[in-house]
Amino acid sequence: MGIPAGQTAIITGGARGIGHGIAKRLARGGCRVILWDVDFAAFEAEVQEFTPLLTQKVDVSDYASVEAAFAEALRVAGSIEILVNNAGINGPVLPFWEYPVETWHKVRAIDLDSVFYCCRVAVPHMRAQKYGRIVNIASMAGKDGVPFISGYSAAKAGVIGFTKAIAKELAQDGVIVNAIAPAMAETGLMKEMTQAHIDAMKAKIPMGRFLQIDEVGALVAWIASPECSFTTGFVFDLSGGRTTY
Ligand SMILES: NC(=O)c1ccc[n+]([C@@H]2O[C@H](COP(=O)([O-])OP(=O)(O)OC[C@H]3O[C@@H](n4cnc5c(N)ncnc54)[C@H](O)[C@@H]3O)[C@@H](O)[C@H]2O)c1
């Protein structure tokens, strides 16, 4: 069954990496995709296997920018059925006692506040149409608490808590909200990490390899479909066996 052709998905941070992989997978199934990103250079540099309905330059950590972008997306698409909150940054790999305060705020704003902002603008529309699927991209770091990326770990734990809270608020409205917790995939996010940190993260994965972007797309395609009908407020695992809860 999958996502019915003609449904529209907004994917934040969709210009590259995991968000781009999710967009490609959803588009392959006939979904119309709208990409939000601050930087489309990587997207424009490659020949694409899909044509987005719309690409919008949006800073998801800025509420006014999110509000204006959603209004424009709705005007063009007519309705939005799916929201994938994927945009995120890692921030520095540092002991928390050396973590710059302004960087803490930046990581929290892009990784957590953005998820609230995007849900805040999309949910009234989804409630009105009595249908919506929201997928928040959290991280294993939000479950485990990974040393030296405390800002990221805290923000992603916040995404998990927010997902569980709003899923209950929306449980009778036809709007289903879940998160996924990926282990490490090889994307642009790695540029912010040290090699020692990357090696330590890989060593934690029992399957002994990194996550493939296609594996994220495959899981999100199901969570974002009508077939995911009795699971809400859940954190889906993509950890190669790392998760213990
Ligand atoms: N790569 C991993 O190992 C991994 C593991 C777990 C979770 N994640 C999560 O997956 C998501 C995607 O990460 P990725 O690995 O593809 O990283 P990436 O750096 O390749 O892509 C992130 C995208 O988000 C965009 N972005 C950054 N700040 C933005 C903002 N303020 N507004 C709009 N767009 C913005 C970037 O321009 C980029 O296109 C993130 O939330 C990340 O935390 C990644």
Side-chain angles (χ1 to χ4, degrees), residues 83-164:
L83 169 66
V84 181
N85 285 306
N86 163 82
I89 59 168
N90 189 73
V93 180
L94 282 175
F96 78 89
W97 58 90
E98 291 172 14
Y99 209 99
V101 171
E102 62 277 13
T103 309
W104 173 277
H105 290 307
K106 184 178 174 197
V107 170
R108 193 214 60 228
I110 297 176
D111 291 356
L112 174 60
D113 296 355
S114 67
V115 180
F116 164 62
Y117 295 162
C118 294
C119 292
R120 176 74 183 74
V121 299
V123 159
H125 166 70
M126 291 179 171
R127 287 189 72 223
Q129 69 187 7
K130 298 192 180 349
Y131 185 89
R133 293 289 181 271
I134 299 175
V135 185
N136 296 327
I137 312 303
S139 169
M140 280 304 299
K143 284 185 156 193
D144 282 5
V146 172
F148 310 118
I149 52 168
S150 57
Y152 182 80
S153 299
K156 293 297 186 179
V159 171
I160 292 172
F162 180 69
T163 301
K164 289 171 183 275

Side-chain angles (χ1 to χ4, degrees), residues 13 16-18 37 58-60 86 137-138 152 156 182-185 187-188:
R16 65 163 194 248
I18 289 174
D37 210 296
V58 187
D59 176 358
V60 290
N86 163 82
I137 312 303
Y152 182 80
K156 293 297 186 179
M184 190 171 279
T187 68

